[in-house]
């Protein structure tokens, strides 16, 4: 698979057209091949080629069977979830930065018994993370801008909305109904 195609994301919808989150193109094509999803929209004229076959790359897929998402714990890239929860803002200096300029900081350092759960992690720029080092925020005199709250079901959708606004306008019709509730979740998490 080409590097560009592998890094593309596909919007996954429930059978009720409720947005569930993002998956990679390889996973989406695997679900299409198994018959678990149907392709709702294609990703322009992008295709994936093998020596014998050519597959059109999906942009939006829909599950054929409804899944009650409230039953399942949301998993995925913890790093991106923390960045989205914190609004891509360093929690010590308050400056909004790109994901490449941010790191994940343990509020209570791991060497002092800090855990890897969302309540102990926050986004921090590299200079602030180095300055804080192996100390607590109180010891470093660096209070966090906001209190970390656990990420919720809406974080995947917040990331999808962010991508739809900038890179994937074809997703907007499927995200329009949830846009207001996800933005309110982000505001609550940032407070």
């Amino acid at each position: 698979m080409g590097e560009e195609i592998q890094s593309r994301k596909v919007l996954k919808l429930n059978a009720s057209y409720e947005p569930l989150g993002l998956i990679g193109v390889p996973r989406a094509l695997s679900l299409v091949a198994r018959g678990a999803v149907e392709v709702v929209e294609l990703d322009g004229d992008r295709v994936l080629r093998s020596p014998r076959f050519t597959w059109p790359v999906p942009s939006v897929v829909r599950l054929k069977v409804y899944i009650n998402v409230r039953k399942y714990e949301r998993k995925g890239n913890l790093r991106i979830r923390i960045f989205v929860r914190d609004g891509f803002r360093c929690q010590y200096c308050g400056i909004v930065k790109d994901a490449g300029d941010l790191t994940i900081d343990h509020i209570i350092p791991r060497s002092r018994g800090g855990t890897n759960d969302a309540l102990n992690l926050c986004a921090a720029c590299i200079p602030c993370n180095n300055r804080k080092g192996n100390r607590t925020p109180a010891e470093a005199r660096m209070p966090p801008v906001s209190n970390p709250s656990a990420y919720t079901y809406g974080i995947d959708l917040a990331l999808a909305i962010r991508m739809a606004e900038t890179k994937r306008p074809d997703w907007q019709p499927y995200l329009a109904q949830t846009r207001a509730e996800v933005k309110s979740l982000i505001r609550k998490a940032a407070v």
Side-chain angles (χ1 to χ4, degrees), residues 74-115:
R74 304 299 291 179
K75 295 184 179 174
N77 189 336
L78 180 65
R79 179 181 180 86
I80 294 298
R81 288 171 176 262
I82 298 296
F83 290 165
V84 171
R85 179 199 69 190
D86 293 344
F88 290 87
R89 177 176 56 160
C90 173
Q91 293 301 296
Y92 299 114
C93 65
I95 298 173
V96 175
K97 300 197 174 203
D98 291 330
D101 297 328
L102 291 172
T103 61
I104 296 292
D105 180 54
H106 290 80
I107 298 167
I108 298 175
R110 289 175 50 194
S111 64
R112 297 186 180 192
T115 60

Side-chain angles (χ1 to χ4, degrees), residues 108-179:
I108 298 175
R110 289 175 50 194
S111 64
R112 297 186 180 192
T115 60
N116 281 333
D117 65 350
L119 294 173
N120 190 45
L121 299 174
C122 69
C125 64
I126 295 168
C128 287
N129 201 350
N130 287 336
R131 185 174 147 220
K132 179 180 169 283
N134 192 25
R135 300 179 287 179
T136 65
E139 292 170 349
R141 295 186 185 140
M142 299 172 69
V145 173
S146 63
N147 291 330
S149 60
Y151 50 80
T152 60
Y153 166 71
I155 295 297
D156 283 341
L157 299 179
L159 185 59
I161 287 171
R162 185 178 175 120
M163 286 182 71
E165 290 172 349
T166 58
K167 301 175 185 172
R168 304 298 291 271
D170 54 323
W171 292 356
Q172 287 187 3
Y174 306 101
L175 298 169
Q177 62 189 355
T178 58
R179 187 178 309 248

Side-chain angles (χ1 to χ4, degrees), residues 14-78:
N14 210 339
S16 63
Y17 287 90
E18 171 188 10
L20 294 177
L22 303 176
I23 57 175
V25 169
R27 175 76 176 142
L29 290 174
S30 169
L31 291 171
V32 169
R34 286 190 314 174
V37 298
E38 64 182 5
V39 177
V40 177
E41 280 198 38
L42 296 174
D43 192 1
D45 56 354
R46 286 185 173 81
V47 292
L48 182 64
R49 290 184 169 83
S50 76
R52 292 185 177 171
F53 300 103
T54 301
W55 295 277
V57 174
S59 176
V60 180
V61 295
R62 182 178 75 91
L63 293 173
K64 290 185 177 179
V65 177
Y66 179 80
I67 293 179
N68 184 358
V69 293
R70 275 100 186 134
K71 279 184 180 179
Y72 301 101
E73 177 185 343
R74 304 299 291 179
K75 295 184 179 174
N77 189 336
L78 180 65

